[in-house]
Amino acid sequence: MLTTRFVDGAPNWIDVGAPDLDRARAFYGGLFGWQFQSAGPEAGGYGFFQLDGRTVAGGMPTAPEQGPPSWTVYFQSADAAATARAAEQAHGAVVVPPQDVMDAGRMAVLADRAGAPFGIWEPGRVKGVDAANEPGTLCWVELYTPDIASAAAFYHRTLGLETSAAAFPGGAYTCVNPADGGEDAMFGGFVPLASCPTEADAGPYWLPYFEVPDTDAAVSAALDLGGDVRMDATDLPGVGRVARLADPSGARFTVITSVAPQQP
């Protein structure tokens, strides 16, 4: 389960890049009830989305040369520079070299073997998001990749992640967890890119999931706020009701109303 008891290799931060940050602020504010707080004049427009006074994500304005609007998932590292070297040695790439973010921490943006970008956050003053796995917050992440075995090898070498197979209607699902937490710390999964034809043209990517009280209501709200539906609301037995959406600039994410875990 994704929590704020962060361990190395687990997601600990997330942010969205948008060409029109004011529009993104209005969209996510209307959808999740988030409020935006600027990180200050020295932060280049970067700021924090907050829910009930707790930081749940970051946001920043982006230019066309920085790539398409998207969410970036960051994983905890005790040493961002060492993780960047490990990614290169595992045949990935360093997109943004490790750098200090004032006294908040140290970050880098890397890409895996297939080109899927992801972030690294080495905590300083800011350990990570303040809330997870509750309504309006990050609760799961998925990597859409053309080669699950290759991705598993890359992330094991780079972040120490472990994978396991879980039975799923129609086949098996590849789950992922940090080495230190074991399967109880499972936070996401790997999905064949070809299984999602509507998204495959954009290439490999990490997709964040946000918990919501009512998936259908969230879909309706997203449309009213200028967003788009990439996959209609669907029930996944034993998991919950999910829908894949995009904000007004095209940044993709999923909303889910999770079912309560069955008691043994």
Side-chain angles (χ1 to χ4, degrees):
M1 184 174 69
L2 200 155
T3 75
T4 55
R5 297 188 299 274
F6 305 118
V7 298
D8 287 347
N12 64 346
W13 190 256
I14 187 167
D15 61 25
V16 65
D20 186 340
L21 187 57
D22 286 340
R23 192 176 186 192
R25 290 167 57 178
F27 176 82
Y28 291 107
L31 184 61
F32 296 136
W34 292 353
Q35 295 182 325
F36 187 80
Q37 179 179 328
S38 171
E42 71 279 10
Y46 197 95
F48 307 108
F49 287 108
Q50 296 188 324
L51 181 64
D52 299 328
R54 299 173 298 170
T55 297
V56 295
M60 59 185 168
T62 55
E65 60 269 20
Q66 293 175 276
S70 62
W71 279 96
T72 299
V73 179
Y74 293 74
F75 299 86
Q76 179 164 301
S77 169
D79 186 334
T83 301
R85 289 193 297 271
E88 290 184 308
Q89 292 166 0
H91 307 293
V94 176
V95 180
V96 178
Q99 56 191 258
D100 292 325
V101 183
M102 297 174 280
D103 65 342
R106 191 165 174 79
M107 62 81 66
V109 177
L110 311 177
D112 66 20
R113 294 174 180 175
F118 63 99
I120 293 299
W121 183 252
E122 178 185 335
R125 177 176 52 81
V126 175
K127 306 305 178 186
V129 295
D130 294 331
N133 210 44
E134 58 185 77
T137 71
L138 183 70
C139 63
W140 192 255
V141 296
E142 281 181 336
L143 173 67
Y144 284 75
T145 178
D147 189 330
I148 287 180
S150 177
F154 172 85
Y155 286 100
H156 179 72
R157 185 170 178 182
T158 303
L159 293 171
L161 301 185
E162 299 176 341
T163 56
S164 59
F168 197 77
Y173 182 82
T174 301
C175 302
V176 60
N177 60 268
D180 287 347
E183 292 187 16
D184 289 342
M186 192 179 298
F187 62 75
F190 294 164
V191 180
L193 184 61
S195 69
C196 190
T198 60
E199 307 294 344
D201 288 347
Y205 70 106
W206 280 95
L207 179 73
Y209 278 58
F210 296 99
E211 187 73 34
V212 292
D214 184 327
T215 295
D216 295 276
V219 169
S220 179
L223 289 172
D224 290 343
L225 291 161
D228 186 29
V229 178
R230 309 285 295 187
M231 184 189 77
D232 291 333
T234 303
D235 288 317
L236 298 179
V239 176
R241 188 163 175 81
V242 303
R244 187 177 299 118
L245 308 175
D247 69 18
S249 68
R252 296 167 291 182
F253 62 99
T254 291
V255 293
I256 180 170
T257 302
S258 301
V259 298
Q262 294 184 348
Q263 297 299 318

